[in-house]
């Protein structure tokens, strides 16, 4: 099996799923090399390809009617994007572009649906991923309506630290999101996020600068969230 297909099988969606080289040949796909800020697809696009990130990072954003860009999520290596439009045939609800030099595999909608129809374990994983997405959106809506900006910033930092396996004393979050990105993720404005981050630094809870955060004592973050 060639290296590209090996990398594709190592993505989160396909990892551990029994797919043969013939399965992937039948599904089809092409390699795309993306420069920073290059679009993968646009909000409203009707193409249903599914994209698998092999290298780099993508950003999924929503454009508001007044032209503001709201960050929805960061797509990391091994992640996939585009499954919803592939399944229901509808318009893209978000725009996705490369944050830095990236390599993706684009799989045609028909090929992706063929894999789902012939591999129940893959279909189950897709359903589990979509269920997890619904849960995250439900949690985000709850946080926006019931938590202060400071509390939401702390929750966001805890989640990022957990993903980076850095939720421990002096844990390092490298390549951390900017204040603007955090603001979009939690439904706040950048100025409020900057004030919350400054307060956390002054209290000795975190330290660091642009793109880098060190958790001095994550127990303080967790204690404040459950108190």
């Amino acid at each position: 099996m060639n290296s590209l297909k090996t990398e594709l099988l190592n993505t989160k969606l396909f990892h551990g799923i029994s797919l043969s080289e013939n399965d992937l040949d039948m599904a089809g796909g092409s390699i795309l090399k993306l420069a920073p800020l290059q679009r993968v697809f646009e909000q409203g696009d009707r193409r249903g390809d599914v994209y698998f990130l092999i290298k780099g990072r993508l950003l999924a954003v929503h454009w508001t009617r007044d032209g503001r860009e709201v960050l929805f999520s960061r797509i990391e290596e091994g992640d996939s994007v585009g499954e919803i439009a592939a399944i229901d045939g509808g318009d893209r609800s978000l725009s996705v572009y490369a944050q830095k030099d990236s390599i993706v595999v684009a799989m045609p909608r028909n090929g992706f649906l063929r894999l789902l129809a012939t591999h129940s374990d893959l279909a189950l994983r897709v359903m589990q991923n979509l269920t997890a997405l619904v849960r995250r959106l439900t949690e985000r809506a709850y946080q926006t309506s019931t938590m202060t900006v400071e509390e939401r910033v702390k929750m966001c930092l805890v989640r990022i630290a957990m993903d980076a396996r850095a939720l421990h004393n002096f844990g390092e979050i490298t390549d951390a999101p900017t204040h603007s990105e955090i603001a979009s993720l939690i439904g706040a404005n950048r100025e409020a996020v900057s004030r919350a981050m400054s307060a956390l630094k002054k209290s000795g809870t975190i330290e660091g600068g642009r793109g880098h955060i060190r958790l001095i004592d994550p127990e303080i973050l967790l204690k404040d969230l459950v108190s």
Side-chain angles (χ1 to χ4, degrees):
M1 184 174 293
N2 64 45
S3 59
L4 171 63
K5 292 175 181 175
T6 299
E7 289 192 81
L8 193 58
L9 289 175
N10 285 331
T11 60
K12 295 175 183 177
L13 187 62
F14 290 135
H15 184 68
I17 301 294
S18 298
L19 293 175
S20 67
E21 185 169 2
N22 185 62
D23 288 327
L24 295 178
D25 284 337
M26 292 291 290
S30 58
I31 304 171
L32 302 178
K33 295 184 178 180
L34 306 171
L37 302 182
Q38 185 173 346
R39 298 282 177 179
V40 179
F41 56 76
E42 295 277 2
Q43 187 172 316
D45 187 358
R46 294 194 62 85
R47 293 186 61 186
D49 293 356
V50 180
Y51 298 86
F52 301 88
L53 180 59
I54 305 302
K55 183 178 180 180
R57 178 185 293 127
L58 309 177
L59 296 180
V61 303
H62 178 80
W63 291 98
T64 65
R65 291 184 177 180
D66 60 359
R68 289 189 302 111
E69 180 186 88
V70 179
L71 177 65
F72 181 81
S73 65
R74 302 204 308 178
I75 300 161
E76 305 289 354
E77 292 179 4
D79 290 339
S80 54
V81 64
E83 295 95 326
I84 292 177
I87 290 171
D88 71 3
D91 295 349
R92 303 285 192 187
S93 56
L94 300 168
S95 294
V96 172
Y97 64 85
Q99 187 180 34
K100 56 186 180 180
D101 289 329
S102 301
I103 298 175
V104 301
V105 175
M107 181 176 290
R109 177 177 184 246
N110 289 342
F112 180 71
L113 294 179
R114 186 181 298 114
L115 289 178
L116 295 187
T118 55
H119 294 274
S120 59
D121 49 353
L122 178 61
L124 176 60
R125 180 168 293 175
V126 170
M127 287 190 289
Q128 291 170 334
N129 289 347
L130 294 179
T131 300
L133 174 61
V134 172
R135 292 184 184 277
R136 288 197 300 273
L137 292 176
T138 301
E139 179 186 6
R140 184 181 297 185
Y142 170 78
Q143 292 174 359
T144 301
S145 61
T146 64
M147 301 176 71
T148 67
V149 172
E150 288 186 0
E151 289 171 332
R152 279 141 55 196
V153 167
K154 292 174 184 177
M155 183 71 76
C156 185
L157 291 177
V158 168
R159 186 181 300 110
I160 293 170
M162 291 177 65
D163 290 342
R165 298 181 180 180
L167 193 61
H168 53 79
N169 288 355
F170 301 101
E172 302 275 353
I173 301 174
T174 58
D175 204 12
T178 65
H179 290 186
S180 293
E181 290 174 342
I182 292 175
S184 292
L185 288 171
I186 67 172
N189 61 61
R190 183 189 60 79
E191 291 77 11
V193 169
S194 294
R195 287 194 295 269
M197 294 290 286
S198 294
L200 289 173
K201 290 179 181 178
K202 289 179 180 179
S203 68
T205 304
I206 65 173
E207 63 180 24
R210 184 177 179 86
H212 173 266
I213 299 172
R214 176 182 293 139
L215 305 184
I216 304 303
D217 187 355
E219 291 297 325
I220 296 177
L221 293 177
L222 296 170
K223 180 181 179 182
D224 290 343
L225 291 172
V226 299
S227 61

